[in-house]
Amino acid sequence: FPVTIYICNLIVVGNQGPTVSIVSPQNNTNLTLPVSQSFVGNAADPDQTTFSSYNWSISGPSTTGIFTPNNTSGSSTTTLTGLNRGGLHTVTLTVPDNNGAQGSAQININVTDPNPVANAGSDQSWVYATNTTWPKTYNLSGSGTDQSGGSISAYSWRIITNPNNCASLSNASISNPVVTVAAPGFGTYRFGLVVTDNNGNTSSEDTVDIILNSDAPPTVSLISSSSNITLPTNSITLTATTSSDTTTLAINETSGF
């Protein structure tokens, strides 16, 4: 009897991992601390329609970063919070299938850490008798705000305006230093404050004035525009100058000249 031999080729295809993508945000998205950003992923696999977990992770300068939820089935959406540093970060989404294969996708995010804001406090104004006793002391009240949600780690004060070098600071590295003003004392003293946050970012300088005035009566002097006049000119201008301002007085006299 004739024998028929059938030859067939069996091709075995190994299990392929799912195709994974991060739908939003887009690659190289710019974010600013403090971050609360939603991420949406997607996974596709011809062998299955649901996946056991969506595993989100982040790498970069930040030492913290929390995805909520994470490693959960049926939810491809998460929210990133808790970053504590600026710079370039990489977000990775990894999705395994039921047979142990996995796929992944990555995007970069650029995180900005804003500088802190210094507040040197409110201006102070004081009035003393001319024979007051010196020195006198005043309290500065500085503070700082870290816009990224961190903390202020350092304060730096300086004296900007110091009439007769009468003022000194007790400690330029604390938030509330004491200012001592020695004789002769009167004048306007200006101080500047810069703060540094826990990531090393520094603020712009904020300033505050301490104004020390004397209660002595002003000194007045009169200056005439002319010491002699000739009729029919019948007026002169007198300028009264005080220690604080200048006023021009016009005196018109039609008789007696």
Side-chain angles (χ1 to χ4, degrees):
F1 297 93
V3 176
T4 303
I5 299 175
Y6 295 93
I7 299 175
C8 62
N9 295 321
L10 178 63
I11 300 175
V12 179
V13 179
N15 179 44
Q16 301 295 313
T19 301
V20 178
S21 62
I22 298 176
V23 179
S24 69
Q26 295 181 346
N27 189 36
N28 291 320
T29 290
N30 296 315
L31 303 174
T32 300
L33 292 178
V35 168
S36 179
Q37 176 65 44
S38 174
F39 285 77
V40 178
N42 183 66
D45 192 319
D47 300 328
Q48 63 187 76
T49 58
T50 61
F51 300 92
S52 59
S53 66
Y54 291 81
N55 182 16
W56 297 88
S57 61
I58 187 167
S59 61
S62 290
T63 57
T64 60
I66 301 172
F67 289 98
T68 307
N70 201 1
N71 290 322
T72 58
S73 61
S75 176
S76 60
T77 300
T78 189
T79 299
L80 171 64
T81 58
L83 296 183
N84 62 355
R85 292 189 181 277
L88 181 65
H89 294 71
T90 299
V91 174
T92 302
L93 171 61
T94 302
V95 180
D97 65 14
N98 294 336
N99 295 314
Q102 64 181 26
S104 63
Q106 291 183 332
I107 64 168
N108 293 323
I109 57 173
N110 301 300
V111 179
T112 299
D113 185 1
N115 290 332
V117 176
N119 183 350
S122 301
D123 292 343
Q124 303 178 39
S125 182
W126 304 83
V127 178
Y128 298 105
T130 54
N131 62 349
T132 190
T133 302
W134 302 94
K136 297 186 182 299
T137 59
Y138 309 89
N139 294 318
L140 294 178
S141 182
S143 62
T145 302
D146 184 19
Q147 301 182 87
S148 66
S151 60
I152 301 300
S153 61
Y155 298 83
S156 178
W157 289 92
R158 72 181 181 109
I159 303 176
I160 299 172
T161 304
N162 192 2
N164 300 309
N165 291 320
C166 293
S168 61
L169 285 168
S170 62
N171 187 339
S173 300
I174 61 176
S175 60
N176 302 315
V178 175
V179 175
T180 300
V181 178
F186 297 112
T188 298
Y189 300 83
R190 177 163 293 176
F191 304 87
L193 172 64
V194 173
V195 299
T196 303
D197 68 17
N198 59 308
N199 286 337
N201 302 312
T202 58
S203 70
S204 298
E205 185 175 59
D206 192 38
T207 62
V208 62
D209 290 346
I210 295 179
I211 305 166
L212 307 180
N213 293 318
S214 169
D215 68 352
T219 301
V220 180
S221 61
L222 291 176
I223 302 174
S224 172
S225 62
S226 175
S227 59
N228 299 292
I229 61 174
T230 301
L231 294 174
T233 301
N234 63 356
S235 67
I236 61 174
T237 299
L238 297 177
T239 300
T241 302
T242 73
S243 59
S244 59
D245 57 20
T246 299
T247 304
T248 301
L249 304 175
I251 301 176
N252 297 310
E253 178 62 52
T254 58
S255 61
F257 289 101

